[in-house]
Amino acid sequence: MLSPMPSKNVNGATIDYEESGQGMPVVLLHGFPLDQRVWAQQRSALADRFRVITPDLRGFGKSVSIEPFSLASLADDVYALLQAIGALPCIIGGLSMGGYVCFEFVRKHPAGVKGLLLIDTRAEADSPEGKQGREKMIELVREKGSPAVASQMMPKMVAPHAEQNRPSMVRELRGIMEACPPLTIEHALTAMRDRRDHRQSLASIAAPTLIIVGDQDAITPLASAEVMKAGIPNAQLVVIPGSGHMSPMEQGELVSRAIGDFASKLH
Ligand code: MLT
């Protein structure tokens, strides 16, 4: 029988998280509309050397909540969780929306960050068209629910041909997206629409940073990764071949290796 995930009450919500291994904490934050299962490959590859912690952000996965949130409040939840379980300072990383949360985390709690991982994400805020797209998706989820959002997003989430070449991975990803509660999708779209532009503050990020991007990422493309690389003083960029936006699932081994090599040097 699967044992239940551990959880902590922080900031008025119950945050569930998976934890494996010992040593330097490596905290990985999932993207939208996903949950911590996207890190399964990194957990098994890294837990022999690191304490790998993968929370379900408020409202996602098993961290049930109906309260609205901002990306900054999600960062505060993660900080409070890590304080509660004695996992600070840490190497913190995020995929896409998880990366937006990481920017808030490092802005608000820089002393908690030993190293930063920015995976298939970007520093820039939504453009006016991007904000309109969020509004449309809010209407879509209200009218047709989470599966309609999954169907709309799926073609951009993974590399072309993934559906043909990796059907079980695509099925798993779709299942995670469809399971995301509609109200959480609405709250997350609002939070992402209203998020800060972090380009001006990239220079103030002191932590060593690893940027990872799939070479076929259609949501947060290589150009966005290059903006982060140019702005963050101590940053390196790894481009993952044969991957779209979901590099931790699409090319899990390469992503785990890049994270492991980076984290080993920060010991
Ligand atoms: C994500 O993958 O977390 C989202 O697609 C990011 C976004 O929509 O900006």
Side-chain angles (χ1 to χ4, degrees):
M1 207 175 81
L2 284 177
S3 49
M5 279 165 68
S7 66
K8 283 277 171 212
N9 286 324
V10 297
N11 303 337
T14 303
I15 302 297
D16 284 56
Y17 61 99
E18 283 286 9
E19 165 164 3
S20 334
Q22 286 176 348
M24 164 72 72
V26 174
V27 182
L28 299 170
L29 308 180
H30 61 79
F32 165 85
L34 304 169
D35 62 45
Q36 65 84 29
R37 287 176 288 173
V38 301
W39 302 113
Q41 294 180 66
Q42 285 66 50
R43 163 184 310 293
S44 54
L46 298 170
D48 61 337
R49 284 167 290 161
F50 303 102
R51 182 180 174 196
V52 183
I53 299 164
T54 55
D56 277 340
L57 296 169
R58 177 187 292 250
F60 294 86
K62 297 205 161 66
S63 297
V64 177
S65 168
I66 56 164
E67 298 300 323
F69 50 78
S70 65
L71 296 166
S73 75
L74 293 181
D76 289 341
D77 287 348
V78 174
Y79 187 78
L81 169 70
L82 299 179
Q83 253 183 336
I85 63 173
L88 289 168
C90 65
I91 297 170
I92 190 157
L95 167 69
S96 200
M97 182 191 75
Y100 309 159
V101 177
C102 284
F103 277 122
E104 291 294 339
F105 191 101
V106 74
R107 184 179 71 81
K108 301 187 82 177
H109 310 289
V113 182
K114 271 280 264 201
L116 182 63
L117 303 163
L118 298 169
I119 305 173
D120 296 294
T121 191
R122 59 185 157 194
E124 52 271 28
D126 276 3
S127 63
E129 301 75 48
K131 287 182 197 287
Q132 275 175 13
R134 305 290 190 197
E135 297 297 333
K136 284 204 180 120
M137 198 175 273
I138 288 173
E139 279 169 35
L140 181 69
V141 75
R142 282 185 185 157
E143 283 167 19
K144 303 211 164 118
S146 309
V149 170
S151 296
Q152 182 173 311
M153 288 184 71
M154 192 50 99
K156 284 192 156 182
M157 291 293 267
V158 288
H161 309 303
E163 198 119 30
Q164 256 170 290
N165 301 339
R166 308 276 311 280
S168 64
M169 183 272 297
V170 171
R171 220 173 13 254
E172 187 189 354
L173 175 61
R174 181 182 278 276
I176 295 173
M177 294 168 86
E178 290 186 347
C180 189
L183 193 57
T184 298
I185 291 185
E186 189 171 331
H187 291 155
L189 287 164
T190 307
M192 291 194 288
R193 180 198 64 197
D194 297 342
R195 76 183 186 280
R196 232 182 229 95
D197 194 314
H198 291 281
R199 278 175 294 184
Q200 299 312 315
S201 46
L202 292 175
S204 66
I205 296 178
T209 299
L210 172 65
I211 300 159
I212 295 177
V213 65
D215 64 345
Q216 297 163 57
D217 187 335
I219 297 180
T220 51
L222 178 59
S224 292
E226 282 168 344
V227 168
M228 297 188 290
K229 162 84 169 75
I232 299 173
N234 184 1
Q236 50 177 300
L237 170 62
V238 172
V239 180
I240 303 291
S243 180
H245 187 58
M246 289 301 301
S247 65
M249 286 180 84
E250 294 182 74
Q251 294 292 348
E253 219 176 293
L254 295 179
V255 170
S256 300
R257 195 180 311 148
I259 295 175
D261 290 349
F262 170 78
S264 302
K265 293 190 193 113
L266 299 182
H267 264 247

